[in-house]
Amino acid sequence: MSEDQLGSLATLLDAVAAAEAETTAWSGEVSIHFLRNYTTEFADPFLKFHLMRDGIRPEISHGGYDTMAQELLDPESAVRQHDPDVLVLSLLIEFLDPECANPGWSADKSIARIDELLDYAVERVRTPVVVNSLLAPVDRLVGDADTTHIDHEVSRINAHLRQRVEAHPSRIFLSDFAELFGRCGGPDAIDRRLWSSAQAPFDRRFLNEYAKDIAYFVRVLKGRARKCLVLDCDNTLWGGVIGEDGIDGIALHDREEPGVHFRAFQEAVVGLVDQGVMLALCSKNNLDDVWQVLDEHEHCLLDRSHLVAWRINWENKAANIASLADELNVGLDSFVFVDDSPQERALVAEMLPDVLVLGVPDDLSTYASLLAQERLFDTTARSDEDRKRTVMYQDATLRKEQRDRFSDLTDYLRSLETVLRVFPVDDDTKVRVAQLTQKTNQFNLTTRRYSVADIEAFMNDPDAAVYAMSVSDRYGDMGLTGVLIARRCDTAAVIDTLLLSCRVLGRQLEFAFVDLCLGALAGAWGSMTWRAEYLPTAKNAQVEDFWDRVGFVAEPEGGGGKRYSLDRRPSIPDYSRIISATME
């Protein structure tokens, strides 16, 4: 069920109940715990809906009213004992400081208390924390009283919150209540009946937007953030049909209606590309007509340099998107498709259910904010690889053209002049390493998802090691594209994580990477028994036999995975003829 089909709370509850009753396996699970000073349970069905729509089964719990500090300090509390995947700190100012409506009120006490709570959370749990910015007291939001002084003090609190988020970008994340409140109509987002009866102030529109925000952080944590935006052209990137209206007749302008809204949408798309989102076109059109707009229209902000691929032809759009996924070597659940045609959207949704399909809104004034409101592509922290992704995929096209000239794979791989660097992860690379654990699905032996805080914990543990690899060749730099995490347990070295980005697969880099990492571990830890495992998922079947291929011995199966051991260095296939590999 799509969000615009919900209609009523009853429909939402029915949809959630039906999803919970399904016997099919979920592709992921998440535990979320609310620390709060007001009633937050009414957000549960909305949060469940957005997570279940992504195939994630949520377990949601709520702490006591205003017992946040106690729960964070008590080692026997649920949040300390069970370490939820996401901790939500949900606050209202009137319960944070009951004096907030008094004349001359100062925000200093509230700032100090928020600092205390965030310090406790960062120091005592490894869980990412989602905290909201504050609103003026609910009674003032819906009344006629002058709130100028209160608004000023609340702004001080929120400015301080943003500083805390910037200081801990891998641990603390902000849900902007002021933005959500404005998006939902301001005071109209307050449910006065529930506020007076249950200390639950927000209506279903606000709760839905709040749930979207939290679900976004979960998607990132679980590796579900979308990677590729696929756009139709006519009446999607511009108004009108280029093949009929011509370049001078389509609606695309920096001031005039309706073209200004299509240009604003293009501006938002360019911003996503700059942040590392892949952009492709899928349009039933003549190729030359589309290129004419991108190359020559004075108000077109997109050009060919923004694209990683395209399918501009008269073929079935579902088939075209499937072929884009093959070309880019990413899963269909990484795609978002935007098209103005209900028929085309219905076809893609039916044929490719993993693709998220969005329509052009009837109110074009909201078009530019469509993708931002959905928060489908965001990541919790940006890395250099994110910003270079379009260029990297364009380089990949050159490699494919080079491959097509060779009949022998070894000759082709040697022609790439590949250079592999392996190095211990440091503060400059930990964000990218965490991203890879969260996003990599295909070549990922265990698919364990780690936050930056988790990577830092490994880095600071004398009985753990985190290695990364970067790859370059004659066509360009592919960046940090591999991670290996190992733990020392008595006399055994346990490979906790081994993953490679999909864009470097098929080049034997995995063998060189493992060889250098295990050599470094043997040098640091001495003679060890090696242990490893393969944990199957819906997407990593291609690496099911990896440890067998390097000589590890499979143990009796159990628990749905494969466990391996080896009492010597593994037998790595020779890669020296095609890869120049070094450990730094």
Side-chain angles (χ1 to χ4, degrees), residues 276-516:
V277 174
M278 294 182 284
L279 176 64
L281 300 183
C282 182
S283 176
K284 289 183 176 179
N285 238 313
N286 292 317
L287 182 62
D288 290 342
D289 289 341
V290 173
W291 289 155
Q292 184 183 24
V293 179
L294 269 60
D295 294 342
E296 301 177 16
H297 198 291
E298 62 175 321
H299 297 301
C300 187
L301 299 177
L302 291 172
D303 60 44
R304 300 191 208 194
S305 70
H306 295 113
L307 305 177
V308 296
W310 54 86
R311 294 293 184 273
I312 301 172
N313 54 41
W314 301 98
E315 303 299 324
N316 178 306
K317 286 192 178 181
N320 275 335
I321 292 173
S323 73
L324 284 171
D326 289 339
E327 177 181 335
L328 299 173
N329 198 22
V330 294
L332 286 166
D333 59 355
S334 296
F335 281 72
V336 175
F337 176 54
V338 182
D339 197 308
D340 68 295
S341 167
Q343 293 78 21
E344 299 288 3
R345 296 199 304 270
L347 172 69
V348 173
E350 175 69 23
M351 301 298 295
L352 306 174
D354 287 340
V355 176
L356 183 63
V357 180
L358 300 176
V360 177
D362 294 333
D363 181 1
L364 287 176
S365 67
T366 67
Y367 193 21
S369 61
L370 173 69
L371 300 171
Q373 288 184 15
E374 293 291 336
R375 298 197 75 177
L376 300 166
F377 301 102
D378 290 349
T379 56
T380 55
R382 295 289 173 196
S383 66
D384 288 340
E385 277 77 11
D386 290 321
R387 300 179 182 93
K388 298 174 183 175
R389 185 170 291 119
T390 297
V391 173
M392 290 178 177
Y393 273 92
Q394 291 168 348
D395 290 343
T397 300
L398 297 177
R399 294 184 186 95
K400 183 179 183 299
E401 293 173 354
Q402 174 79 352
R403 182 182 62 201
D404 292 342
R405 300 191 186 109
F406 285 84
S407 58
D408 182 80
L409 177 61
T410 300
D411 289 341
Y412 162 68
L413 293 176
R414 188 185 300 116
S415 77
L416 294 177
E417 301 172 10
T418 302
V419 176
L420 171 69
R421 294 172 45 249
V422 180
F423 48 88
V425 171
D426 57 18
D427 287 339
D428 292 333
T429 52
K430 62 187 180 184
V431 170
R432 172 61 176 167
V433 167
Q435 278 187 349
L436 282 173
T437 70
Q438 294 161 8
K439 296 161 62 173
T440 306
N441 295 305
Q442 296 179 56
F443 196 107
N444 193 333
L445 275 294
T446 55
T447 319
R448 295 188 173 104
R449 309 299 189 186
Y450 291 124
S451 67
V452 178
D454 294 325
I455 300 302
E456 289 173 341
F458 283 123
M459 293 165 56
N460 295 325
D461 185 347
D463 288 321
V466 187
Y467 293 106
M469 75 175 198
S470 68
V471 180
S472 61
D473 63 16
R474 62 185 292 188
Y475 294 103
D477 185 359
M478 287 171 278
L480 197 160
T481 47
V483 177
L484 185 144
I485 300 173
R487 296 178 288 107
R488 179 166 52 180
C489 299
D490 297 325
T491 60
V494 180
I495 310 302
D496 175 275
T497 295
L498 173 62
L499 63 85
L500 268 69
S501 169
C502 60
R503 66 173 176 257
V504 297
L505 299 184
R507 303 172 63 145
Q508 300 188 27
L509 292 165
E510 59 269 29
F511 300 120
F513 184 39
V514 168
D515 188 38
L516 292 180

Side-chain angles (χ1 to χ4, degrees), residues 195-230:
W195 174 237
S196 61
S197 64
Q199 292 187 334
F202 302 118
D203 76 353
R204 62 187 301 274
R205 292 171 300 168
F206 186 96
L207 294 172
N208 184 51
E209 294 298 326
Y210 188 26
K212 278 187 189 178
D213 248 15
I214 299 170
Y216 145 67
F217 293 108
V218 173
R219 281 199 304 269
V220 172
L221 179 67
K222 294 295 181 180
R224 302 299 181 84
R226 305 277 171 163
K227 301 175 183 177
C228 184
L229 175 62
V230 183

Side-chain angles (χ1 to χ4, degrees), residues 12-25:
L12 170 66
L13 294 173
D14 288 343
V16 169
E20 288 179 321
E22 287 285 341
T23 58
T24 55

